[in-house]
Amino acid sequence: LKLLNDIIPGWITEYRFHPVRRWRFDIAHQELKIAVEIDGAVWTQGRHTRGAGFLKDCEKLNQAQLLGWRVFRYAPSQMGQMVEDIERAVQPRH
């Protein structure tokens, strides 16, 4: 979280983004509508890689898109890539 706040302040954890459902983003910047989801246990049949969990993730992320969010997903081993991607995402678009 500190690395993201060093890029641009305002990142928080466990942000509840949906007005009705209890879904939360692992990390989010409310003003920029950018979220990060960190999916653990990807090699050990964790919740995000089994059928029911995967389908629930699809529903959550699709609803987030409909609300205007850009959501980035990573495994814990991809934190360096996450920082690089967020740096690019917050750059002004031309």
Side-chain angles (χ1 to χ4, degrees), residues 21-91:
R21 302 290 300 263
R22 297 183 63 144
W23 288 317
R24 297 176 189 274
F25 292 132
D26 293 329
I27 304 170
H29 195 292
Q30 182 180 10
E31 182 181 323
L32 299 175
K33 282 197 149 184
I34 297 174
V36 174
E37 289 285 279
I38 302 168
D39 298 338
V42 295
W43 299 106
T44 59
Q45 293 297 306
R47 179 212 176 277
H48 300 286
T49 58
R50 290 192 313 256
F54 177 81
L55 292 176
K56 289 177 183 177
D57 284 348
C58 288
E59 180 185 9
K60 173 183 172 179
L61 297 180
N62 288 339
Q63 291 300 311
Q65 296 275 358
L66 290 170
L67 292 171
W69 285 88
R70 289 191 290 167
V71 182
F72 294 83
R73 290 180 71 182
Y74 301 95
S77 62
Q78 297 177 301
M79 294 299 97
Q81 185 64 52
M82 175 195 69
V83 173
E84 289 179 28
D85 291 346
I86 296 302
E87 284 178 328
R88 288 182 60 203
V90 300
Q91 295 300 315

